[in-house]
Amino acid sequence: MPKRLLILGATGSIGRQALDVVERSEGLAVVGLAAERSWAALLELAASFGVSAIALADADAAARAAESWTAGRVHSGAAGLVELIEATEPDLVLNALVGAAGLGPTVATLGESIDLALANKESLVVGGELVGALAEATGARIIPVDSEHSALHQLLAGEAHAGAQSAAPPRAGTVRRLVLTASGGPFRGRLRAQLAEVGVEQALAHPTWSMGGKITVDSATLMNKGLEVIEAHHLFGVPYERIAVLVHPQSIVHALIDLCDGATLAHLGYPDMRVPISYALHYPERGALPVRTLDLVEVGRLDFEAPDEEAFPCLRLAREAALAGGSGPCVLNAANEVAVHAFLEGALGFLAIDAVIAQTLERAGAEPVHSFEDLYAADHRARALAREAVLALA
Ligand code: NAD
Ligand code: MG
């Protein structure tokens, strides 16, 4: 029996690479696809993968798709994504949406006891505690797609007494420290003053990874690594002071773990997201992929340096919000989404991104969170405050 796979965010960078992995794999059957508004592209993908149920978050796009498609069912709106999860009865959902919009589908998937291949790191940043508790309650597994976290998942599997196949994520009993690597982005090595004039095109020119726009800007500000520290904390249950960030411009070493006996284990490979995607889609098996085996003679050298939190304060802001807890990470994420969006529209300078986030965190504070409703309210309020900050700083 093939594994029934539902892909949310199918038209994006991760979604399309996942479909490439599916095409090269045996044992994976796509049963549903979803996107925000690119309905024509989604219908094309549905036709080539023989899919008869899709969802579009944008209601107009969903209506256009429904008019021109007779081969299946079109679900509409944010609720349509949740309907699609329930209607297609998948064994595994790949959440490759971008932003806090991914939280609802993450909750719906885990709530239905369905395993989740998670690219949408924002789900865990915004709702880590509640999402983790939900997975534990229903027994659904969260298998990370983010390359560093996939690397950690693989490294920790050998250390976990629970065993790699248990529903619980690997726990880090023998582990002293997790280390996430960061390429440093296109502006690595620059002083803060040298970042004042950088534009959208330069921020989108990532040196080692080709990704969607939002995460590429997050990589340029180092917010991506801040979000990933929070993601790692929730996935692996490791306290923040034992999660380190190491800048490594070649993106060959994806993560390391320091163990209690002085050994350090690393996960290496050429930067290619299909590798962690394939790991998540096939887990606990492995699927063969026609990617090059790492040739360290060809690579020649690997460099490492400490992150520059002076030039890139987003990493520090993320750690502060994480330690504040409660709604802090949710506010951080919402402010970042608003600021990055404004930067991509040309309405905000690069250096104002962290200023918007800092001001929003200061004004919103960190409130206790008891329910997903609390998070949606905090997200809503933070976005309004961040929009005010954008107008003031633009
Ligand atoms: P992308 O912008 O290329 O694609 C996003 C996809 O989500 C598109 O299909 C879009 O239609 C859909 N989408 C966006 N907003 C939506 C909404 N409100 N409702 C429904 N669908 C919506 O993004 P990406 O680069 O593929 O990133 C996806 C996620 O994976 C992000 O959380 C990102 O941080 C994470 N991630 C990406 C990479 C990468 O290499 N691209 C690496 C690691 C982690
Ligand atoms: Mg990553």
Side-chain angles (χ1 to χ4, degrees), residues 91-102:
D91 299 312
L92 180 69
V93 172
L94 169 62
N95 183 347
L97 305 185
V98 61

Side-chain angles (χ1 to χ4, degrees), residues 25-394:
S25 305
E26 281 167 25
L28 294 173
V30 183
V31 296
L33 296 167
E36 185 175 26
R37 66 187 68 204
S38 43
W39 62 273
L42 195 65
L43 288 185
E44 236 170 73
L45 293 174
S48 39
F49 285 85
V51 167
S52 62
I54 63 167
L56 285 148
D58 182 86
D60 292 338
R64 306 265 316 259
E67 269 166 34
S68 58
W69 198 47
T70 49
R73 170 96 199 263
V74 182
H75 298 268
S76 167
L81 268 69
V82 175
E83 283 168 25
L84 185 70
I85 295 167
E86 291 163 359
T88 52
E89 298 182 354
D91 299 312
L92 180 69
V93 172
L94 169 62
N95 183 347
L97 305 185
V98 61
L103 181 60
T106 284
V107 172
T109 301
L110 298 173
E112 294 284 317
S113 307
I114 301 167
D115 286 349
L116 178 66
L118 187 63
N120 179 259
K121 65 191 82 184
E122 294 92 342
S123 300
L124 281 180
V125 171
V126 172
E129 265 104 32
L130 294 176
V131 167
L134 180 61
E136 214 150 292
T138 65
R141 293 187 288 213
I142 305 176
I143 308 123
V145 170
D146 215 345
S147 55
E148 300 78 2
H149 304 73
S150 175
L152 288 171
H153 197 271
Q154 295 172 55
L155 290 167
L156 290 168
E159 295 304 310
H161 301 301
Q165 296 199 26
S166 91
R171 291 281 151 177
T174 52
V175 175
R176 262 186 206 154
R177 197 173 69 138
L178 309 182
V179 183
L180 302 168
T181 57
S183 71
F187 307 133
R188 184 179 59 85
R190 295 207 199 179
L191 300 171
R192 189 155 174 87
Q194 296 170 313
L195 295 170
E197 300 303 325
V198 303
V200 173
E201 210 173 295
Q202 293 156 291
L204 288 180
H206 196 278
T208 50
W209 296 99
S210 156
M211 311 177 284
K214 193 254 177 187
I215 182 176
T216 306
V217 175
D218 286 347
S219 301
T221 61
L222 286 199
M223 179 55 91
N224 184 49
K225 217 45 59 176
L227 300 179
E228 290 187 357
V229 167
I230 302 174
E231 182 186 12
H233 167 78
H234 291 300
L235 280 171
F236 306 116
V238 174
Y240 284 111
E241 67 273 15
R242 293 204 276 127
I243 305 175
V245 170
L246 177 65
V247 173
H248 165 45
Q250 291 92 354
S251 301
I252 297 288
V253 179
H254 304 304
L256 309 98
I257 57 173
D258 298 332
L259 302 178
C260 60
D261 61 359
T264 290
L265 310 184
H267 181 288
L268 289 78
Y270 290 115
D272 183 336
M273 282 308 294
R274 291 175 309 166
V275 177
I277 291 169
S278 175
Y279 175 78
L281 298 190
H282 288 104
Y283 184 82
E285 313 291 329
R286 283 204 188 246
L289 265 191
V291 298
R292 278 190 312 150
T293 300
L294 180 61
D295 180 347
L296 281 175
V297 173
E298 179 196 88
V299 173
R301 59 181 278 179
L302 300 173
D303 297 291
F304 302 95
E305 58 195 61
D308 178 352
E309 294 193 13
E310 229 144 270
F312 304 99
C314 282
L315 190 52
R316 176 178 52 77
L317 290 171
R319 277 196 187 273
E320 286 170 5
L323 290 173
S327 61
C330 171
V331 170
L332 172 93
N333 177 72
N336 182 55
E337 285 188 33
V338 169
V340 169
H341 182 77
F343 172 71
L344 286 170
E345 302 260 285
L348 195 71
F350 185 78
L351 288 183
I353 295 176
D354 56 72
V356 167
I357 299 164
Q359 282 186 17
T360 307
L361 281 168
E362 194 155 314
R363 288 182 65 194
E367 307 285 340
V369 168
H370 304 292
S371 65
F372 287 111
E373 283 64 39
D374 290 348
L375 289 173
Y376 295 128
D379 175 87
H380 192 75
R381 179 155 175 266
R383 277 171 206 267
L385 292 172
R387 278 188 216 103
E388 286 178 23
V390 166
L391 288 178
L393 287 158

